[in-house]
Amino acid sequence: MLAEMPFYRPVGNECILFEITYRQRLPLLIKGPTGCGKTRFISHMAARLGRSLHTVSCHDDLTAADLTGRYLLKGGETVWMDGPLTRAVREGGICYLDEVVEARKDVTVVLHPLTDDRRILPLERTGEILQAPDEFMLVVSYNPGYQNILKSLKPSTRQRFVSISFDFPPAETEIEIIAAESGLPVKQCIPLVNLAKRLRELKEIDLEEVVSTRLLVYCAILMKSGLDPFQAAETALVEPLCDDVEVKQGLLELVRATYG
Amino acid sequence: MLAEMPFYRPVGNECILFEITYRQRLPLLIKGPTGCGKTRFISHMAARLGRSLHTVSCHDDLTAADLTGRYLLKGGETVWMDGPLTRAVREGGICYLDEVVEARKDVTVVLHPLTDDRRILPLERTGEILQAPDEFMLVVSYNPGYQNILKSLKPSTRQRFVSISFDFPPAETEIEIIAAESGLPVKQCIPLVNLAKRLRELKEIDLEEVVSTRLLVYCAILMKSGLDPFQAAETALVEPLCDDVEVKQGLLELVRATYG
Amino acid sequence: MLAEMPFYRPVGNECILFEITYRQRLPLLIKGPTGCGKTRFISHMAARLGRSLHTVSCHDDLTAADLTGRYLLKGGETVWMDGPLTRAVREGGICYLDEVVEARKDVTVVLHPLTDDRRILPLERTGEILQAPDEFMLVVSYNPGYQNILKSLKPSTRQRFVSISFDFPPAETEIEIIAAESGLPVKQCIPLVNLAKRLRELKEIDLEEVVSTRLLVYCAILMKSGLDPFQAAETALVEPLCDDVEVKQGLLELVRATYG
Amino acid sequence: MLAEMPFYRPVGNECILFEITYRQRLPLLIKGPTGCGKTRFISHMAARLGRSLHTVSCHDDLTAADLTGRYLLKGGETVWMDGPLTRAVREGGICYLDEVVEARKDVTVVLHPLTDDRRILPLERTGEILQAPDEFMLVVSYNPGYQNILKSLKPSTRQRFVSISFDFPPAETEIEIIAAESGLPVKQCIPLVNLAKRLRELKEIDLEEVVSTRLLVYCAILMKSGLDPFQAAETALVEPLCDDVEVKQGLLELVRATYG
Amino acid sequence: MLAEMPFYRPVGNECILFEITYRQRLPLLIKGPTGCGKTRFISHMAARLGRSLHTVSCHDDLTAADLTGRYLLKGGETVWMDGPLTRAVREGGICYLDEVVEARKDVTVVLHPLTDDRRILPLERTGEILQAPDEFMLVVSYNPGYQNILKSLKPSTRQRFVSISFDFPPAETEIEIIAAESGLPVKQCIPLVNLAKRLRELKEIDLEEVVSTRLLVYCAILMKSGLDPFQAAETALVEPLCDDVEVKQGLLELVRATYG
Amino acid sequence: MLAEMPFYRPVGNECILFEITYRQRLPLLIKGPTGCGKTRFISHMAARLGRSLHTVSCHDDLTAADLTGRYLLKGGETVWMDGPLTRAVREGGICYLDEVVEARKDVTVVLHPLTDDRRILPLERTGEILQAPDEFMLVVSYNPGYQNILKSLKPSTRQRFVSISFDFPPAETEIEIIAAESGLPVKQCIPLVNLAKRLRELKEIDLEEVVSTRLLVYCAILMKSGLDPFQAAETALVEPLCDDVEVKQGLLELVRATYG
């Protein structure tokens, strides 16, 4: 999809693990917090393996037909239109279902025959049974941090995936990423990542999630474009995280200690 | 959309912040109470930056297709019809989703690929993947004051936006706004804004929201057209806020102290 | 719609207030109990101002399309058909949404761009953006007496309306109304309105609502057509209000004191 | 609809009340238990007044379109098809909504403009506004005995109807009805109605409803056709009322005392 | 439907009762546990009376249109297609609704005009009102053993049916049935029915239902085909009844006492 | 469907039982945990008996039409398209409904006339009644381990099936299976199965399900492809089972004891 390979700075051996899983034709589950780089990692690996990437953001109202395809009326004829999963299977590409726990069960069940040794995708509506080529790979992800009780992957689905856990990168790596993405000089990225470390330690105080690498990149971009660092941090790190006035004050004090 | 630039009286540096965010191609989240001027601010900035504005009021029954588009049957042919988000992307305009927390998750998820560095809008139904031009900007807003537990923005969505908070303007600015909008002389606007200050301090007594700048403008319009000030305040400031007889009596006593 | 002006007997200055609101192009919210004359008042004002009236009784299953319009299939072509709100905007008429709290939020949200200074009605499906003419007015009503917790107007909607409260008319006015509507001589209407006063004071005993002016008119019509007054009151004032045998006995005793 | 007038044995002055209500063009609400003769009464009155009868059994899934009508596709054209309410309005017939509390609010709200002095039926889909002729009458009914909390008529709907209560007929009348309907000699109907009286007094013991006049007619028909009276009573009076073994034993003992 | 008459071994006078009910044109309700022979009984009676049989298994998602019929698009024309109830009415056949309590109320309400003296089926969609011929009969059934509180027949529906209760047949009859259905010699069926008697007495221990005649026939078929009797009983009598390991052990001990 | 017979290593006499059930034309219910080999067993038996296999993974949103078929619009004509159940009935194949408890009742009810002695499939929409040939077999399965209270098979459905229980195979058999599936030498499979035994004994500690044979095969594949055994076990046995950090530590300690 993208002509050039997206920048990705590996943290551990996740690239090797991805490649083995791909070569062995096993499906992969990636767990990790929002904005830690899961989507970027998969774009990078797809480009590296020379495979097209078909991304689907999952949600409550996604239907199985949104994945597999549907009939459309064209010129009085019903014409079949492949969905992203079907396109990935036909082309031998990578299909990536982001936040798969948000999907309804009828959607996750569609994945079952693709995730055991059959590796088939039955299209009930067209009567076809597609055999996935060796190059096809299924990757799903979710954030274990804010799963609720109502939504979780059924064991019969989970047990079909090889799985790895992601987290935010260690400080040096994160500095390197922020500098590369924003163009802000490394020495200005260092206090930002230090501030992030302190903000993340505040997690217990009523925040659903901590500040992500993505928000740090946003903050660095605002700084790079000349905005006052305190205001950049308020706008990119504090306001996006919460609405509660007291919690915001607590976060702003930490910001002030760095940029005040 | 509007030929002339809508009147907007800045309170802080919100215009500069909006412009930097626009230039850096980052999505923006604006938080603030009902009737404080969010919609007007965005209309003003769109006109100032020379961009078309595509506003969508979000609600429970809004579907992803209402944003992206749908097929219609015309002359036996299915014809694709862009939704407001798609039109904004194609034209390089500003798409503004008002009260975004009211939208279902399948709608907010549609925004994800537009709000990271990909800046793409995949149209599953047509098979197109639109690359947003630099001029495209996504703005969303909500009122943090009456979010309930069932409805809130998922962290994975929130963390994709740079964010600023709005509040009612300080007294002098609000007087200036009311005079400009209603044509009522400034010296008659002063007691009205003083009354508003006292009404807003009563928030604890069972009111969902305090009186907005918009209602003050309505009140000034009724006064300007010759209605008795007490009755104008009852009709524009008290009745729209609540139904409870005792609470209304409490509010009317404050009104009486000014206009009785 | 109606050639002659419907009879309406004003209680206070509600006619003047309605007219100012109309001239200032502000939307109006009318609150009051069932059968107190809200619908009649609006029919009267529409006729007086020479505007067409488009009434919609709101309910749970009303959709936005029921207000704005929809495509119908005609001769193989999809033809757009305006809804009552759109017709009122195009003609410059009055659109009246009765019991607006019963409507779902996607319906009330459609009203937002018509109720601020933009006064526009975007028709997403046709791509049109209608500018309301000065003669267009939006009126909504509800009964604050039996709103439940689940259904209420959002503050962001309420704060868009100038608002007035209605109640049953004072005795002399109500006698005049009943006589005019039923043709029953005034001296026979007097004991009926006295009875109504006593029945209304019983509200605490498990009645959802008290007897309305409309039911008094029904009762007077039955009396006028020769039915025994006790039976007329039982049929028109007691049975329509409740099913509970004991409560009915309590009401009938009051009736008996007058007509027994 | 029916050529001959259905047999109906009046209990009080319900026929006169119905006729006055009809002549005064008021809508009528009839309350009463299952199988007490409400439907028969209305068929009888319709025939007597020479009006066609349009009966609709209400339920949860009845839509407004089921009452008013809908477009059907015929020969590539959409053709409008009147629903029973619309047919009754056009013809000047009687529309009878049985068990109206079972209907959803969007259905009951359709009745509002027909039940005040406007007497109109707006057909949003065709753009027509039908003025009901004087001969049109709306009758609704429900059983106050097993209304639950979730389902009841809104006061704003109830207060639009003149209302009468039905109950099972007194013994002599019920004997006469059973004999006429089943052909069983009167002297055999007497013990049956006596048994019914005793069964009805048992209501407190966990029965949702008592035995109806209809079931007594069924029982008489089975007896007339030669079935043993005890077995006829078990089959037509006991088994249809309950499933609980102990309650059935209690009822059967009463039956045995008469027919054992 | 079936050329030969299905085997049915009467237990009491149910065949006579069915025939009288049929001749008197009354609707019939049959109550009884799963697998006791209700469906077979009705097939037998339909064949005996020379009527076609139209069976519908009721469930939550059955719609009124599934019973009465719907329009289908054929060659650009909408063509009406009768449902099983309508076919039965037109042909003068027997319509059997199995497990009628599972149906939604809009489905049961469709039956009302067919189950009083009118015996009509109004087809709102086609505008037809079908008069049921004398040969038409409506039969419904349910299992009173596991009705829940949410699902039950409304009294206004129940009171429209003559009703009989079924149970498992007495031992000698059940032996005869099993032998006839499986081909297993009678002397081998005797211990099986004795075992069933003991298993049925265990009902209190957390089983939703006891072993049915149908499962005994299955067990006999497995034995006849050479399977070890203990294993046949485990497979056909124990595993189908429950999943709980301890309950299964309890049942298996009883099996072992007979076949161990 | 598959040309060659899928590998299956029997644990008990399940193959014989399946074959008898098939020959006697009885429907079969298989119970057992996720990943224990139910699907493989059925593929194996279908191939062995020379029957085509039609697998459907059941879920909440599966409709009866997904099983039986539906009309599609083609060239202006509606064309009927068989669903997998109908195809299996027409061809005399095996229809396998995986996780049948997840299906809605309207789906399970469709199976009823196929699972008693009638062995018919009525297609209401086409008006056809298909008689299943002797070669047709219906197999359903579910996992009794995580059934919730809301979802379970109704007794009236369960009592229509002969039933067998599956569990994970004994150690020797499981070693044999893993070696055959992964190509990993038997002596390396032994410690893996020993580890699995210990992991399965930890079930009480907050795991919804224990490690399946399928995950052991995945682990062996990763080892075979050169991945460090500890990492292979973390990726294939620990991460797929849970998200809780402490539980994962507990599981990893057991892994470390074997591969540390």
Side-chain angles (χ1 to χ4, degrees), chain C residues 91-254:
Chain C
E91 291 178 12
I94 294 175
C95 186
Y96 171 41
L97 304 187
D98 191 15
E99 303 203 38
V100 73
V101 290
E102 299 292 338
R104 290 197 317 252
K105 284 180 184 160
D106 64 320
V107 174
T108 50
V109 148
V110 161
L111 307 175
H112 282 197
L114 271 172
T115 50
D116 55 30
D117 61 293
R118 293 174 290 165
R119 284 175 64 87
I120 55 171
L121 176 61
L123 299 174
E124 315 273 304
R125 301 278 160 97
T126 66
E128 283 176 285
I129 298 180
L130 302 181
Q131 183 68 49
D134 287 358
E135 291 76 17
F136 169 77
M137 182 183 192
L138 181 69
V139 184
V140 303
S141 76
Y142 68 87
N143 178 350
Y146 62 92
Q147 274 187 85
N148 55 28
I149 310 155
L150 288 174
K151 285 197 164 171
S152 63
L153 229 42
K154 299 198 308 174
S156 67
T157 300
R158 287 182 72 125
Q159 294 226 5
R160 291 164 173 279
F161 290 85
V162 161
S163 168
I164 50 178
S165 274
F166 267 55
D167 206 343
F168 296 116
E172 309 88 278
T173 316
E174 199 164 35
I175 289 163
E176 204 181 309
I177 291 166
I178 294 165
E181 297 278 327
S182 70
L184 195 71
V186 165
K187 72 171 182 225
Q188 283 175 264
C189 295
I190 294 172
L192 189 56
V193 168
N194 286 340
L195 172 60
K197 184 170 174 292
R198 265 168 259 132
L199 289 169
R200 283 170 184 163
E201 287 164 1
L202 282 180
K203 192 179 177 174
E204 61 286 356
I205 56 153
D206 209 24
L207 284 177
E208 270 190 287
E209 283 211 345
V210 295
V211 67
S212 64
T213 307
R214 178 187 287 127
L215 285 183
L216 294 176
V217 172
Y218 280 8
C219 188
I221 288 173
L222 292 181
M223 287 173 179
K224 177 85 188 345
S225 72
L227 199 69
D228 167 68
F230 180 84
Q231 204 159 24
E234 184 183 10
T235 307
L237 306 185
V238 176
E239 289 286 350
L241 284 186
C242 73
D243 299 328
D244 186 275
V245 174
E246 287 182 35
V247 176
K248 287 202 285 192
Q249 284 310 328
L251 298 174
L252 282 174
E253 271 168 44
L254 286 179

Side-chain angles (χ1 to χ4, degrees), chain D residues 1 34 39-40 55-59 61 66 70 72-76 81 84 87 98-99 102 146 151 181 208-212 214-215 218 221-222 225 227 231 234-236 239-243 248, chain E residues 13 16-17 20-21 24 26-29 31 71 73 76-78 104-106 109 112-113 115-118 124-127 129 142 144 147 152-165:
Chain D
M1 206 157 285
T34 296
T39 299
R40 181 66 69 90
T55 302
V56 179
S57 300
C58 296
H59 54 80
D61 298 284
D66 288 329
R70 54 169 52 83
L72 288 178
L73 214 63
K74 284 221 165 139
M81 176 117 188
R87 278 199 298 270
D98 192 15
E99 304 202 36
E102 300 292 338
Y146 62 92
K151 286 199 164 171
E181 297 279 326
E208 271 190 286
E209 283 212 345
V210 295
V211 68
S212 64
R214 178 187 287 126
L215 286 182
Y218 280 9
I221 288 173
L222 293 181
S225 73
L227 199 69
Q231 204 158 23
E234 183 182 10
T235 307
E239 289 286 350
L241 284 187
C242 74
D243 299 330
K248 287 202 284 192
Chain E
N13 68 342
I16 291 139
L17 243 164
I20 289 179
T21 307
Q24 296 300 329
L26 298 177
L28 181 65
L29 160 63
K31 303 187 273 188
Y71 283 103
L73 214 62
E77 271 303 301
T78 46
R104 290 196 316 253
K105 283 180 185 162
D106 66 320
V109 148
H112 283 195
T115 51
D116 53 32
D117 61 294
R118 293 174 291 167
E124 315 274 305
R125 303 277 159 99
T126 67
I129 297 181
Y142 68 86
Q147 274 187 85
S152 63
L153 229 42
K154 302 198 305 176
S156 67
T157 300
R158 285 182 75 126
Q159 293 226 8
R160 292 163 174 280
F161 290 86
V162 161
S163 169
I164 51 179
S165 273

Side-chain angles (χ1 to χ4, degrees), chain B residues 7 171-194 220 223-224 259:
Chain B
F7 168 80
E172 308 88 278
T173 315
E174 199 164 35
I175 289 163
E176 203 180 310
I177 291 167
I178 294 166
E181 297 278 327
S182 70
L184 194 72
V186 164
K187 72 170 181 226
Q188 283 176 264
C189 295
I190 294 172
L192 189 56
V193 168
N194 286 341
M223 287 173 178
K224 178 85 187 344
Y259 295 115

Side-chain angles (χ1 to χ4, degrees), chain A residues 73 75 210 212 218 231 239 243, chain B residues 13 77-78 115 142 147 159:
Chain A
L73 214 62
V210 296
S212 64
Y218 281 8
Q231 204 159 23
E239 288 287 351
D243 299 328
Chain B
N13 70 343
E77 270 304 302
T78 47
T115 50
Y142 69 86
Q147 274 186 85
Q159 293 226 6

